Amino acid sequence: MDYNATTPLDPDVIQAMTEAMWEAWGNPSSSYSAGRRAKDIINAARENLAKMIGGKPQEIIFTSGGTESNNLVIHSVVKHFRENQATRENAVQRQPPGDGAKPHLITCTVEHDSIRLPLQHLEREGVAEVTFVPVSTVSGQAEVDDVLASVRPTTCLVTIMLANNETGVIMRIPEISRRIRALNSGRVASGLPAVLVHTDAAQALGKRRVDVQDLGVDFLTIVGHKFYGPRIGALYVRGLGEQTPLYPMLFGGGQERNFRPGTENTPMIAGLGKAAELVSENCEVYEAHMREIRDYLEEQLQAAFGKRTCFNSHFPGTERLPNTCNVSIQGPQLQGRLVLAQCRTLLASVGAACHSDLGDQPSPVLLSCGVPVDVARNALRLSVGRSTTRAEVDLVVEDLKRAVARLDTPKAEAGPPL
């Protein structure tokens, strides 16, 4: 029950990758049949990804994964700000935000490390200024008014995840985008840079419908291994190269229209395209099944542990992912890692896999959401998948009951020394 960390490859994805290995081994830039076959597979995958998110094929760039996609967005907006700043400083009729002004970026306190760490790095290097908007302890969300209140004359990017990987909370991206668009009309008229909007959709894809037109974003990060695809990713860029800027971090043979060069990994791209196709065809079915199983899991946990059960992902009025349950079983000896170490069946985590080095420290995400330290320390993140059954939930709850009983039992008093 750790599907938010990663998912297995769907059998149809494995088949698509295997066929590509056998039949499309050629270089996609080559003109002979094996190369043309590889290029056709890549084009089809691009179309499938665009369909999954409501974009256009020409707005999709393949990357190595979510970390690269997120870093590419940050790199691009900083470079674009610098170039525009130089242009404004040379234009007599327009005043720049200020000589030597640094780009300003806005995010929130519960973002993935592939957003948080590069932004912190830019701050330390003196390259950019960053505002980390705290999430509300009432909603678990980055509040729209707080995001808008953080905008400065030098702001160039707002990056807020679509769904949190620990709580499952869905952020209010459509409203943020709408408010930013309204703000941009006045900013551009006065010579200020337009604010671009990015969302990391890694946790949402495959669990709920994601449509870039509804979201209104300029950039969206896609991560294959979160929706039963391979461990590569993609980046959606609205009006790539025309409406929204993108600057490469790599330079090479010109693949991906020079935005992300390097000979394409055809089998992995084939698998990503098939995974996207499956999501487009079955998303409602996946979502309904996961919600049913997640709700059953929470009912069984409540029945098993009663008043000791604390659901850290329940924020009244806030939408959350259909598969995610963040729960603490209260008790002084029931820290999440200790409970999981006692389990014989359950495979789960205490939070994001990238924070596995925190030891017994409570999740920073839960603390940001206002969860008390003693409750956060006991947290378990349980995330179900497409094939999780009620029978498996029953096994997991029994496993947890036995683990908790063992930890609750006082250790035998040591006898007198021999």
Side-chain angles (χ1 to χ4, degrees):
M1 291 198 170
D2 204 16
Y3 288 91
N4 281 5
T6 197
T7 56
L9 292 173
D10 187 280
D12 287 346
V13 170
I14 295 175
Q15 181 178 350
M17 295 172 66
T18 302
E19 290 176 357
M21 290 179 194
W22 281 110
E23 301 171 9
W25 50 266
N27 190 315
S29 298
S30 299
S31 59
Y32 45 76
S33 59
R36 291 197 302 272
R37 173 65 175 146
K39 179 62 75 175
D40 289 343
I41 286 175
I42 291 169
N43 289 338
R46 202 185 308 274
E47 290 177 3
N48 282 332
L49 284 168
K51 182 179 179 181
M52 176 178 68
I53 62 168
K56 301 173 183 176
Q58 62 268 29
E59 296 174 320
I60 302 293
I61 295 294
F62 292 110
T63 67
S64 62
T67 294
E68 183 186 343
S69 293
N70 288 343
N71 277 260
L72 183 55
V73 170
I74 293 168
H75 162 81
S76 293
V77 295
V78 168
K79 187 171 179 63
H80 185 64
F81 178 91
R82 286 173 168 174
E83 290 192 356
N84 278 0
Q85 177 76 354
T87 300
R88 281 193 297 267
E89 288 175 350
N90 291 329
V92 176
Q93 70 274 23
R94 290 191 175 188
Q95 293 298 317
D99 292 338
K102 297 177 184 178
H104 174 243
L105 301 90
I106 300 171
T107 188
C108 73
T109 53
V110 298
E111 290 292 319
H112 189 269
D113 279 356
S114 59
I115 290 290
R116 180 178 63 85
L117 293 179
L119 291 179
Q120 289 178 340
H121 173 75
L122 291 176
E123 271 195 309
R124 285 195 303 268
E125 295 292 312
V127 173
E129 297 175 332
V130 183
T131 297
F132 289 87
V133 175
V135 294
S136 166
T137 59
V138 175
S139 68
Q141 299 169 320
E143 294 292 351
V144 179
D145 287 343
D146 293 341
V147 172
L148 268 292
S150 301
V151 174
R152 307 175 185 174
T154 54
T155 302
C156 55
L157 180 71
V158 171
T159 173
I160 305 289
M161 60 181 17
L162 183 50
N164 185 263
N165 53 318
E166 293 190 36
T167 63
V169 164
I170 307 295
M171 301 291 180
R172 295 161 64 185
I173 302 303
E175 186 175 351
I176 291 173
S177 296
R178 180 179 58 80
R179 296 274 298 274
I180 291 293
R181 281 198 303 273
L183 190 67
N184 277 340
S185 59
R187 287 173 65 90
V188 173
S190 61
L192 296 176
V195 180
L196 299 173
V197 179
H198 165 248
T199 191
D200 180 348
Q203 287 297 339
L205 287 165
K207 300 166 188 168
R208 68 194 303 271
R209 281 291 174 192
V210 173
D211 189 302
V212 292
Q213 306 310 321
D214 293 338
L215 294 173
V217 294
D218 302 293
F219 304 98
L220 182 138
T221 292
I222 299 168
V223 181
H225 76 97
K226 303 294 189 181
F227 56 96
Y228 293 75
R231 287 177 185 168
I232 63 167
L235 178 65
Y236 160 82
V237 185
R238 183 183 299 275
L240 174 60
E242 298 176 1
Q243 183 177 345
T244 306
L246 193 71
Y247 295 81
M249 293 192 295
L250 305 173
F251 298 88
Q255 294 85 355
E256 296 297 288
R257 288 168 288 165
N258 274 318
F259 291 114
R260 205 287 185 180
T263 303
E264 300 93 336
N265 191 335
T266 307
M268 297 286 270
I269 291 173
L272 185 63
K274 173 55 73 171
E277 181 182 358
L278 293 172
V279 168
S280 295
E281 294 174 352
N282 304 297
C283 190
E284 284 76 13
V285 175
Y286 297 154
E287 181 178 2
H289 172 77
M290 287 187 280
R291 177 172 285 108
E292 176 194 344
I293 297 299
R294 190 274 314 277
D295 290 350
Y296 178 71
L297 168 64
E298 293 188 345
E299 291 168 5
Q300 297 306 110
L301 288 169
Q302 186 72 59
F305 301 107
K307 294 181 179 179
R308 303 178 73 183
T309 312
C310 183
F311 292 111
N312 306 313
S313 47
H314 288 191
F315 295 92
T318 298
E319 185 184 1
R320 59 179 171 137
L321 292 174
N323 79 317
T324 305
C325 166
N326 195 301
V327 62
S328 295
I329 304 166
Q330 298 185 71
Q333 305 300 323
L334 301 182
Q335 288 85 5
R337 293 181 186 278
L338 297 180
V339 172
L340 290 176
Q342 290 289 329
C343 288
R344 301 292 181 262
T345 302
L346 172 62
L347 302 177
S349 66
V350 298
C354 56
H355 289 159
S356 59
D357 60 347
L358 286 176
D360 289 329
Q361 296 300 310
S363 161
V365 168
L366 295 184
L367 296 179
S368 294
C369 293
V371 177
V373 172
D374 59 330
V375 177
R377 190 174 287 121
N378 289 17
L380 303 171
R381 182 186 69 175
L382 308 178
S383 46
V384 305
R386 296 176 186 175
S387 60
T388 308
T389 65
R390 287 185 173 227
E392 289 174 333
V393 168
D394 293 340
L395 287 173
V396 161
V397 173
E398 285 301 314
D399 196 22
L400 280 171
K401 286 167 67 176
R402 289 191 292 267
V404 168
R406 283 192 288 270
L407 292 170
D408 270 342
T409 304
K411 294 182 179 179
E413 293 291 338
L418 297 176

